[in-house]
């Protein structure tokens, strides 16, 4: 197997004899070799080394070579140069990764998994050997995982199992949404509604009891529970199929348990029917419920399959032993709207956006906006400011984030329609005239344009809201020791794009942040102990872990 060599930067210094004929031409010739034949020659020389499939990152090597520019051909020079470079790399690799300038990973997949671990731990960005992932640093860990594994489906299963083994998977899954879940389902080639399993692992009750599941009835929580069950099921032996069908079998089992958990909350009566093996009766009992159409279709796939009926009965029995209390009748599940529980307490990959709430309130634009366009539209503007703070180019990835909606006091994000035409008339924008306009780089970072498909977001309004966003970000920066002059993009990826829990009721809202890589700075920051936000009409408290 040939070894692939990727040289990110090559700094060459050519020392030519004084008075050499055509010195400029010789430099040009050697420079051309460095950008072409050299890499190929280096790879050929490295082929002599044993290839165990490992991926190496070498920060830099230094070498000196002498060549006869007049007497040697291009191929001879490249081969000599490549062999010298290969020897230098071989010596660096011989250290086995002991040097700070050399890192060895068992495989390309192990390299990605190591990056994800460090990313979840908040220490990936800034490490030289992860430079190729730098373009992802403004995204939360959940989105990064989907981006990296979604295009490498063969890596997904083993990578998730390894992350589970190191204790990182739960911290990752806790930030996932239904949208992210579906992308990985598609990448694995799985069916979102697979048929019921026909066989179960032994001691299914013990297996199910070992998986910690959320009690929340929201769509995002159910998606997270499916992945917890899926990864746990991957390690469970089953005789239902061949080893190559391992993901499909695990997914069928995970989906079955998640669906039965939903049934336990919604219709305990139907669950009891399943325990008795009365699948058709259970389907009929919920057939008229608005939330039940996919469940009814799933149950009917067991009809006529005795082994599926038997498996469902066993799973229903196990589910009934750990089921959550029935969800309130007011919960709206089919539409994906938050119910009472999820609206008061939820996890978000962008909970730190609330760090800018007090600085934004200090700008006193809220009452001006309400007077100009009314409360409903003013909340949409607040939502746009929160989205801008996390970067306009990646805004579409956060359309379903509950924290951004809660930040603006909205029950859910504003509805987007990319097909709708932008409004012809601009709202009153006099409130932005005295605010400083962002420089070109910052303006590009904040710009939303048509990325979210909001017809009310005209170009002048987009620019005006960018001014407000910049002003709020600068006020926030002034609360951070030694980070007062930080750019908006730096503040975004370092402090604002981090997860946490949002817990609240009618009178108060508490945001609990993990802290991130610079949590110590946030703990030193001049944050208000409690602040009542005019657009939320309740107090806000932020704690940093």
């Amino acid at each position: 197997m040939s070894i692939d060599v990727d040289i990110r930067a090559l700094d060459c210094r050519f020392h030519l004899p004084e008075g050499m004929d055509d010195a400029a031409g010789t430099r040009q010739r050697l420079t051309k070799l460095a950008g072409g034949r050299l890499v190929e020659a280096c790879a050929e020389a490295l082929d002599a080394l044993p290839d165990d499939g490992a991926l190496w990152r070498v920060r830099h090597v230094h070498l000196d070579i002498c060549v006869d520019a007049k007497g040697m051909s291009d191929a001879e020079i490249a081969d000599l140069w490549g062999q010298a470079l290969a020897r230098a790399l071989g010596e660096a690799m011989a250290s086995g990764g002991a040097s700070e300038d050399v890192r060895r990973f068992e495989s390309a997949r192990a390299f990605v998994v190591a990056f994800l671990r460090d990313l979840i731990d908040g220490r990936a960005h800034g490490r030289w050997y992860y430079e190729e992932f730098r373009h992802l640093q403004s995204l939360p860990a959940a989105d990064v995982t989907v981006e990296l594994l979604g295009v490498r489906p063969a890596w997904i299963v083993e990578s998730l199992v390894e992350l589970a083994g190191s204790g990182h998977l739960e911290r990752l899954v806790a930030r996932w949404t239904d949208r992210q879940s579906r992308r990985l389902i598609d990448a694995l080639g799985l069916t979102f509604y697979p048929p019921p399993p026909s066989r179960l692992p032994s001691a299914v009750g013990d297996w199910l009891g070992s998986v910690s599941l959320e009690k929340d009835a929201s769509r995002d929580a159910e998606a997270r529970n499916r992945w917890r069950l899926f990864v746990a099921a991957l390690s469970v032996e089953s005789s239902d199929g061949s080893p190559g069908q391992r993901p499909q079998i695990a997914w069928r089992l995970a989906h079955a348990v998640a669906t039965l958990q939903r049934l336990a909350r919604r219709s305990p009566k139907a669950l009891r029917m399943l325990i008795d093996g009365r699948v058709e009766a259970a389907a009929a009992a919920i057939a008229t419920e608005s939330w039940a159409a996919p469940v009814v279709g799933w149950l009917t796939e067991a009809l006529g399959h005795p082994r599926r009926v038997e498996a469902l009965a066993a799973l229903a029995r196990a589910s009934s032993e750990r089921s959550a209390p029935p969800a309130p009748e007011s919960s709206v599940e089919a539409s994906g709207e938050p119910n009472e529980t999820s609206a008061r307490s939820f996890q978000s990959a962008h909970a730190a956006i609330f760090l800018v709430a007090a600085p934004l309130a200090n700008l006193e634009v809220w009452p001006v906006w309400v007077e100009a366009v009314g409360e409903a539209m003013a909340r949409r503007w607040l939502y746009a400011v929160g989205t801008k703070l996390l970067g306009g180019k990646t805004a579409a990835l956060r359309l379903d984030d509950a924290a951004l909606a809660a930040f603006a006091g909205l029950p859910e994000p504003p509805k987007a329609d990319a097909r709708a035409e932008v409004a012809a008339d601009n709202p009153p924008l006099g409130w932005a005239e005295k605010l400083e306009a962002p420089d070109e780089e910052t303006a590009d970072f904040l710009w939303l344009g048509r990325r979210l498909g909001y017809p009310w977001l005209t170009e002048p309004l987009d620019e005006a809201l960018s001014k407000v966003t910049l002003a709020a970000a600068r006020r926030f920066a002034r609360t951070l020791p030694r980070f007062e002059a930080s750019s908006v993009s730096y503040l975004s990826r370092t402090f604002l794009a981090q997860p946490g829990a949002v817990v609240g009721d009618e009178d108060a809202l508490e945001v609990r942040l993990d802290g991130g890589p610079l949590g110590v700075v946030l703990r030193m920051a001049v944050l208000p102990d409690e602040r009542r936000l005019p657009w939320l009409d309740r107090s806000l408290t932020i704690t940093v872990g």
Side-chain angles (χ1 to χ4, degrees):
M1 180 184 296
S2 62
I3 296 179
D4 293 329
V5 179
D6 180 15
I7 299 176
R8 293 299 174 89
L10 187 63
D11 181 16
C12 300
R13 297 183 182 182
F14 303 125
H15 299 276
L16 306 178
E18 186 176 352
M20 180 180 182
D21 295 338
D22 194 19
T26 301
R27 287 193 184 91
Q28 184 177 5
R29 175 190 175 196
L30 295 174
T31 301
K32 184 177 180 181
L33 286 175
R37 168 64 183 157
L38 172 62
V39 176
E40 182 181 343
C42 179
E44 291 173 357
L46 285 172
D47 281 344
L49 299 177
D51 180 13
D52 58 359
L55 183 144
W56 292 83
R57 286 290 183 268
V58 181
R59 194 172 195 176
H60 56 76
V61 294
H62 176 81
L63 60 105
D64 294 313
I65 62 169
C66 293
V67 299
D68 181 359
K70 289 187 176 181
M72 298 174 67
S73 66
D74 287 357
E76 289 173 330
I77 294 176
D79 287 342
L80 180 64
W81 197 349
Q83 289 165 9
L85 182 54
R87 280 195 302 272
L89 289 173
E91 291 171 1
M93 293 161 62
S95 69
S99 168
E100 287 297 317
D101 292 330
V102 180
R103 284 291 182 272
R104 180 186 183 278
F105 302 90
E106 289 294 331
S107 64
R109 185 184 65 77
F111 174 58
V112 170
V113 171
F115 169 70
L116 292 176
R117 285 196 189 106
D118 284 344
L119 183 68
I120 295 166
D121 288 337
R123 59 188 186 188
H125 296 306
R127 294 192 168 182
W128 64 267
Y129 43 91
Y130 294 141
E131 179 66 20
E132 66 191 78
F133 301 127
R134 186 176 181 181
H135 66 287
L136 299 172
Q137 63 185 2
S138 64
L139 297 180
D143 281 322
V144 172
T145 303
V146 172
E147 291 297 321
L148 293 180
L149 296 183
V151 295
R152 301 171 176 90
W155 293 4
I156 294 176
V157 169
E158 295 304 326
S159 297
L160 294 181
V161 170
E162 287 187 20
L163 289 172
S166 62
H168 290 79
L169 183 68
E170 176 55 35
R171 293 156 62 191
L172 177 65
V173 170
R175 310 170 189 181
W176 274 1
T177 64
D178 181 62
R179 173 184 58 80
Q180 293 158 337
S181 171
R182 286 175 183 263
R183 283 194 60 187
L184 287 185
I185 292 171
D186 291 341
L188 281 170
L190 300 173
T191 304
F192 191 75
Y193 291 105
S198 55
R199 298 197 183 191
L200 301 178
S202 58
V204 65
D206 294 340
W207 166 77
L208 182 55
S210 69
V211 185
S212 178
L213 301 177
E214 296 180 49
K215 302 294 187 182
D216 192 347
S218 69
R219 186 166 56 185
D220 286 344
E222 285 199 0
R224 291 190 288 269
N225 282 343
R226 282 192 185 91
W227 282 97
R228 294 181 178 103
L229 291 161
F230 173 63
V231 175
L234 287 170
S235 60
V236 176
E237 293 185 4
S238 174
S239 58
D240 187 6
S242 64
Q245 295 177 308
R246 180 181 171 212
Q248 289 82 357
I249 296 168
W251 184 247
R252 288 171 68 175
L253 183 59
H255 181 270
V257 173
T259 302
L260 291 173
Q261 289 285 306
R262 183 195 307 180
L263 197 61
R265 289 191 300 269
R266 295 290 189 173
S267 179
K269 177 182 177 182
L271 187 70
R272 289 193 294 271
M273 292 177 179
L274 285 182
I275 293 174
D276 297 334
R278 299 161 57 200
V279 177
E280 190 171 5
I286 59 174
T288 59
E289 300 290 341
S290 60
W291 55 268
V295 180
V296 171
W298 179 74
L299 289 174
T300 55
E301 290 192 61
L303 298 177
H305 298 275
R307 289 197 303 176
R308 290 183 180 178
V309 173
E310 182 181 347
L312 280 180
L315 277 180
R317 195 175 302 112
S319 296
S320 68
E321 296 172 358
R322 59 166 298 164
S323 61
E329 292 299 322
S330 60
S331 297
V332 183
E333 180 176 336
S335 66
E337 297 176 10
N339 58 32
E340 184 179 359
T341 302
S342 61
R344 290 186 175 183
S345 177
F346 58 85
Q347 294 282 336
S348 168
H350 308 97
I353 193 65
F354 281 92
L355 289 167
V356 191
L360 180 59
N362 290 338
L363 292 175
E364 299 183 347
V365 294
W366 170 252
V368 178
W369 288 356
V370 171
E371 183 178 353
V373 295
E375 183 176 324
M377 182 59 71
R379 293 192 185 281
R380 295 180 184 178
W381 290 7
L382 285 173
Y383 179 86
V385 169
T387 301
K388 284 173 174 286
L389 283 164
L390 294 169
K393 291 182 179 179
T394 55
L397 297 174
R398 298 184 291 271
L399 272 174
D400 54 358
D401 190 270
L404 282 170
F407 173 81
L410 293 168
E412 61 180 357
K415 298 297 183 184
D417 185 358
R419 298 168 299 179
E421 295 184 2
V422 179
D425 299 326
N426 288 305
L429 301 176
W431 44 268
E433 290 179 356
K434 295 183 179 180
L435 295 175
E436 179 185 351
D439 58 36
E440 185 176 348
E441 182 178 352
T442 304
D444 181 63
F445 177 80
L446 298 175
W447 185 253
L448 289 176
R450 297 292 293 149
R451 293 186 177 109
L452 298 184
Y454 291 145
W456 47 267
L457 189 61
T458 64
E459 186 170 327
L461 175 60
D462 206 340
E463 293 176 350
L465 292 178
S466 287
K467 291 182 177 182
V468 172
T469 306
L470 175 63
R474 285 186 170 171
R475 285 181 177 240
F476 168 61
R478 288 198 288 270
T479 69
L480 304 174
R482 299 190 179 183
F483 288 86
E484 296 87 348
S486 299
S487 66
V488 180
S489 60
Y490 182 84
L491 294 171
S492 175
R493 66 177 181 266
T494 308
F495 296 105
L496 304 181
Q498 61 170 289
V502 180
V503 182
D505 54 29
E506 294 179 356
D507 300 318
L509 191 69
E510 180 183 2
V511 179
R512 303 167 184 169
L513 302 179
D514 295 346
L518 291 177
V520 63
V521 177
L522 289 177
R523 286 188 285 273
M524 295 169 58
V526 187
L527 300 177
D529 294 333
E530 185 175 307
R531 174 67 188 263
R532 197 164 192 87
L533 301 175
W535 61 86
L536 294 183
D537 195 26
R538 52 180 173 171
S539 62
L540 170 67
T541 304
I542 299 176
T543 58
V544 182

